[in-house]
Amino acid sequence: MLGIGRVIWLVVWTLPAVAEGICGRPLSIGWDEWPPFHYQGRSGEPDGYAVQLLNLAAGRLGCRLTYRLMPWPRTLQQLRLGQVDAAMQALRTPEREAYACFAPGYSPTIVRLWARSDKAARWPVRQLDDLGRQGEVLLGVTRGDSYGAQLDRWLQTPPPNVHVEISETLAVSMRKLQLGRTNLLLATMATATRELARLPEKPEIAPLEPSWRAGEGYYVFSRKSVPEPVCQAFARALAEMRQDGTVARLYRSQFGAPYPEP
């Protein structure tokens, strides 16, 4: 997800008022620009795959949602404190399980290694261990992002030749790669592809061969502010939407591809 270095925008979007249903009150959803999952739409309100799916689930439950725009690390901090009720597109980690309830995955997360196309041949990497057999590697990551359990553990104690460069946003991470300030970058397929469209076309950036299924994107609900039955109700609604084809139809409409089942 995105970094903590931005100024928080004091902007709130609220869905049209409906009965509060099982929620009992409006739920506040922390979010940041992270297309194609959530971004500010043409109408000025939050849009994207994760937003649309959450809105549909809330509609089934008769719940009202209020969206609060803030950087991703701040969202996690406020989720931990119960100052925001929920967040979107989060990977499941032991640390987050301590303060959040997870609604089942609705979006597979595929992580790739990215390099400048004109330097890709310099990096004959087919698996994670190959990075430790290269020369000096400047590896870009984005603050606050999880890349799945395997990669997260590896990043805690990388090989001596791998130097991790942390950036505040994915856009900054990718620009550093373009400018040669890093050699390689870890990023998900969906977010990197969208971010590349916003950067200068040259030098080109492309994924290398390795890929990791980092898990599923989850909606997470604060254990301090959201009762467990509410979280479980959203989990059931999402499961029903997987079964009746709603998730697959929405995924195809947003990504132009079938939902990638395990």
Side-chain angles (χ1 to χ4, degrees), residues 78-250:
Q78 294 203 1
L79 195 75
R80 184 184 297 108
L81 297 174
Q83 296 173 352
V84 70
D85 295 317
M88 302 176 287
Q89 197 60 28
L91 292 183
R92 192 166 194 157
T93 68
E95 178 188 6
R96 293 172 184 174
E97 285 179 336
Y99 59 82
C101 171
F102 286 74
Y106 60 92
S107 174
T109 301
I110 307 298
V111 176
R112 301 290 297 269
L113 268 175
W114 300 77
R116 276 177 44 166
S117 297
D118 60 350
K119 298 183 182 296
R122 163 73 178 79
W123 307 104
V125 178
R126 290 180 172 80
Q127 56 188 359
L128 195 57
D129 290 345
D130 290 342
L131 281 173
R133 293 188 282 269
Q134 306 297 312
E136 184 180 32
V137 180
L138 296 175
L139 176 64
V141 300
T142 304
R143 188 181 302 281
D145 277 7
S146 171
Y147 302 97
Q150 178 189 9
L151 287 170
D152 287 351
R153 285 194 301 268
W154 185 87
L155 286 168
Q156 290 177 4
T157 55
N161 65 305
V162 178
H163 307 283
V164 178
E165 172 75 14
I166 302 174
S167 298
E168 299 299 329
T169 68
L170 179 57
V172 172
S173 294
M174 303 206 86
R175 188 59 179 148
K176 286 181 179 179
L177 184 61
Q178 277 193 321
L179 296 173
R181 293 170 58 185
T182 57
N183 308 124
L184 300 171
L185 171 68
L186 282 172
T188 67
M189 282 295 297
T191 55
T193 302
R194 176 65 71 94
E195 198 60 55
L196 281 172
R198 302 183 176 192
L199 294 175
E201 294 184 2
K202 302 290 184 178
E204 293 182 355
I205 294 175
L208 299 181
E209 181 177 336
S211 66
W212 298 268
R213 189 175 179 118
E216 299 273 335
Y218 287 79
Y219 295 110
V220 290
F221 295 82
S222 172
R223 294 190 185 277
K224 282 199 171 185
S225 64
V226 179
E228 182 77 14
V230 173
C231 175
Q232 296 306 322
F234 273 91
R236 288 192 298 272
L238 288 165
E240 292 169 359
M241 293 164 73
R242 286 284 293 272
Q243 292 172 358
D244 66 21
T246 300
V247 171
R249 288 191 295 272
L250 183 59

